[in-house]
Amino acid sequence: MSPLLSAHAITKRFPGVVALSDVSFDLRPGEIHALCGENGAGKSTLIKLLSGIHPHGSYDGELRIGGDTARFSSIADATRAGLAVIYQELALVEEMTVAENIFLGAEPTRAGLIDWPRVHREAGAVLANFNVDIDPAAQCSRLGVGQKQLVEIVKALRKDSRILILDEPTAALAEHEVRVLLDILRDLRARGIACIYISHKLDEVFAIADRITVLRDGATIATLDTAATSKSEIIRHMVGREIADLFPRRARADLSPAILRVENLTIADPHTGKARLHDISFTLAPGEVLGIGGLMGAGRTELLMHLFGAWGARTAGRIHLRDCELPVLPPAKILRRGIALVTEDRRRLGLILDHDIAFNLTLASLAKFAPRLLIDTSAETRAAADLSASLRIKAPSLAAIAGKLSGGNQQKVVLGKALLTEPSVILLDEPTRGIDIGAKLEIYELINRLTDAGKAVLLVSSELPELIGMSDRILMLHDGRIGGTFTRADATPERLIAAAMGAPAQP
């Protein structure tokens, strides 16, 4: 079968860096071909080359579409050739509705004016066609990260594309939303549409891909039939070594009395006034990781955001920190009390993207470097350098712009910013979303170091293996309520899913 797309001996250079070195890759009609590799392996550069961001002539080698040499000079050229790209980072207009975003730039008109009833009608139809249950009239700023990602996917699928490129499309999706997306991709495959699927989630890769190509350090390492390989072989190709334990949790047996106690907490949505979290109670001890799970919309992020003082109106219940009641306070004062949040949306809420690493690392801790209202830049730089080295942030220098770092290194900067405040309680909301296996292992080891030092960790994760592997106890939320609590010993995927869906506890 002739390839629908092929890249032969592609080499792409930037000043001082070879991003791709003699990379070859092909995509067959109706195939789902996975690209795997650590952050910095060259996947993003390859996508930008395929989609016209890096134009023909800026790289060596040959790109062919349907047997013809592709000479894309822009994204528009790639779109006209039948390529559509869904990027990991969201590109929606927050102030617009779902329908307006789906048809942005291609709105149907009537008598020279946009036909808004038709826009909303057809947006509803395309959402329903892909089994996405989102109101087309909803404003995108009110949607969760996972819902926004689904809107991005539907927006791309609305186009008549022969090749769909998906960059970490499920990074922010819950389990049931992942299943919806994979069903969509299987349907597209049956219609002859080819997909390039980029993901760090190997369970998904093995569930959906026909073939897998591994990139490492900008080079093609292997292309394998999915049925003829294994996760351990793919991981070995990705990192260049064997990984014995994907979840190296070091549990502490000598847990002290609780540092954080949440009692009968009920929280109202600040926009609607309706209760969003109901009667939530739990404790968290120094040295402990308490996992928080649940389906998208269960209230996981809202719980962490409220604990940090950034969301919701408390209508009932109390929070105690070190045996003292913690009143409703803004985030700046919560930080000073010893609670830090690592948000799930690192680019929008965790980083100042156009500033450098040092600026971002110390942003939440400036008071400690300004004893006389003037910042001691030498002390600030030393602290940033020490933290960067401790976290093994890969960048040319502390002056590197945060927005240009890989996803894993951006996440390390967000973590570092939180840790520099010297918190006693760390709230981690999807800390490994969209990062590679090597970076995940470094963050897991960081969690171990934090709990070894007596810090308490509240860990929200949509990935059940991660939740089970890195938690000492697990609390599952269902529709804003506690669906079940589990010890590490009795947590199984089946029991956790049942609790997340509000089903009776499984034996």
Side-chain angles (χ1 to χ4, degrees), residues 51 67 266 277 287 294 311 400 426:
S51 61
T266 297
L277 295 168
W311 184 89
I426 301 102

Side-chain angles (χ1 to χ4, degrees), residues 210-233:
D210 301 298
R211 288 188 297 160
I212 302 169
T213 290
V214 178
L215 299 180
R216 187 173 76 235
D217 297 330
T220 305
I221 300 302
T223 295
L224 303 166
D225 289 332
T226 306
T229 187
S230 64
K231 294 176 189 175
S232 60
E233 183 177 14

Side-chain angles (χ1 to χ4, degrees), residues 88-89 145 149 170-173 344-347 407 411 429-435 440 463 466:
Q88 178 182 348
E89 306 303 340
V145 175
Q149 184 67 67
T170 67
L173 303 188
E344 68 169 331
D345 193 346
R346 59 178 172 264
R347 292 182 66 87
Q411 190 68 354
D429 194 355
E430 303 285 5
T432 65
R433 181 172 73 87
I435 64 176
K440 283 185 178 182
E463 298 185 39
E466 178 176 270

Side-chain angles (χ1 to χ4, degrees), residues 230-303:
S230 64
K231 294 176 189 175
S232 60
E233 183 177 14
I234 296 299
I235 292 170
R236 178 169 54 80
H237 285 312
M238 287 171 60
V239 303
R241 65 186 190 280
E242 297 287 349
I243 301 293
D245 189 357
L246 290 178
F247 303 104
R249 173 71 186 130
R250 294 195 298 269
R252 285 168 58 95
D254 56 337
L255 296 179
S256 306
I259 186 173
L260 181 70
R261 295 201 320 274
V262 175
E263 300 173 351
N264 309 116
L265 194 65
T266 297
I267 307 299
D269 187 309
H271 300 294
T272 65
K274 296 181 180 178
R276 184 69 186 82
L277 295 168
H278 309 263
D279 198 30
I280 303 295
S281 297
F282 63 86
T283 61
L284 180 64
E288 181 181 28
V289 176
L290 175 62
I292 306 289
L295 302 179
M296 187 65 66
R300 300 167 302 172
T301 292
E302 290 84 350
L303 175 58

Side-chain angles (χ1 to χ4, degrees), residues 39-354:
N39 290 117
K43 305 186 302 297
S44 295
T45 301
L46 183 58
I47 292 172
K48 290 176 180 177
L49 189 147
L50 296 176
S51 61
I53 294 176
H54 296 320
H56 179 75
S58 69
Y59 57 87
D60 297 324
E62 185 181 36
L63 175 63
R64 301 178 71 84
I65 304 291
D68 299 322
T69 299
R71 296 181 173 87
F72 300 151
S73 60
S74 66
I75 295 174
D77 286 348
T79 301
R80 283 191 289 270
L83 279 81
V85 184
I86 301 167
Y87 291 101
Q88 178 182 348
E89 306 303 340
L90 304 175
L92 299 175
V93 180
E94 295 279 313
E95 294 75 17
M96 287 185 171
T97 67
V98 170
E100 289 167 342
N101 272 281
I102 289 174
F103 281 91
L104 185 62
E107 297 88 348
T109 60
R110 183 177 182 181
L113 299 174
I114 295 175
D115 187 347
W116 289 115
R118 183 179 168 190
V119 167
H120 285 83
R121 184 172 62 252
E122 292 189 5
V126 73
L127 287 163
N129 184 47
F130 293 114
N131 299 313
V132 176
D133 185 18
I134 298 176
D135 181 1
Q139 187 170 318
C140 282
S141 62
R142 299 291 181 88
L143 302 180
V145 175
Q147 292 175 308
K148 290 176 184 177
Q149 184 67 67
L150 289 177
V151 174
E152 286 272 25
I153 291 166
V154 170
K155 180 179 177 180
L157 292 174
R158 186 190 63 79
K159 302 173 183 177
D160 186 17
S161 304
R162 293 185 296 163
I163 299 170
L164 189 63
I165 303 173
L166 302 104
D167 184 10
E168 296 288 348
T170 67
L173 303 188
E175 293 287 334
H176 69 288
E177 291 169 325
V178 171
R179 290 194 294 270
V180 169
L181 174 62
L182 297 188
D183 286 342
I184 289 171
L185 296 183
R186 293 184 182 104
D187 179 62
L188 293 175
R189 177 168 54 191
R191 289 191 271 157
I193 296 174
C195 298
I196 298 174
Y197 192 89
I198 299 168
S199 179
H200 296 304
K201 300 180 179 180
L202 292 184
D203 286 343
E204 292 173 13
V205 168
F206 276 80
I208 196 68
D210 301 298
R211 288 188 297 160
I212 302 169
T213 290
V214 178
L215 299 180
R216 187 173 76 235
D217 297 330
T220 305
I221 300 302
T223 295
L224 303 166
D225 289 332
T226 306
T229 187
S230 64
K231 294 176 189 175
S232 60
E233 183 177 14
I234 296 299
I235 292 170
R236 178 169 54 80
H237 285 312
M238 287 171 60
V239 303
R241 65 186 190 280
E242 297 287 349
I243 301 293
D245 189 357
L246 290 178
F247 303 104
R249 173 71 186 130
R250 294 195 298 269
R252 285 168 58 95
D254 56 337
L255 296 179
S256 306
I259 186 173
L260 181 70
R261 295 201 320 274
V262 175
E263 300 173 351
N264 309 116
L265 194 65
T266 297
I267 307 299
D269 187 309
H271 300 294
T272 65
K274 296 181 180 178
R276 184 69 186 82
L277 295 168
H278 309 263
D279 198 30
I280 303 295
S281 297
F282 63 86
T283 61
L284 180 64
E288 181 181 28
V289 176
L290 175 62
I292 306 289
L295 302 179
M296 187 65 66
R300 300 167 302 172
T301 292
E302 290 84 350
L303 175 58
L304 265 60
M305 292 284 278
H306 182 79
L307 293 174
F308 191 60
W311 184 89
R314 190 180 307 173
T315 60
R318 296 183 297 177
I319 300 173
H320 286 84
L321 181 66
R322 302 186 196 87
D323 296 323
C324 296
E325 185 166 351
L326 184 68
V328 177
L329 295 170
K333 292 187 177 181
I334 292 291
L335 270 175
R336 288 198 287 271
R337 297 290 183 101
I339 299 178
L341 170 68
V342 174
T343 174
E344 68 169 331
D345 193 346
R346 59 178 172 264
R347 292 182 66 87
R348 187 167 69 94
L349 301 176
L351 295 169
I352 309 296
L353 293 172
D354 57 357

Side-chain angles (χ1 to χ4, degrees), residues 437-452:
I437 288 173
K440 283 185 178 182
L441 287 170
E442 291 188 69
I443 289 176
Y444 296 153
E445 185 54 39
L446 174 60
I447 291 173
N448 282 333
R449 286 175 11 220
L450 291 172
T451 54
D452 286 348

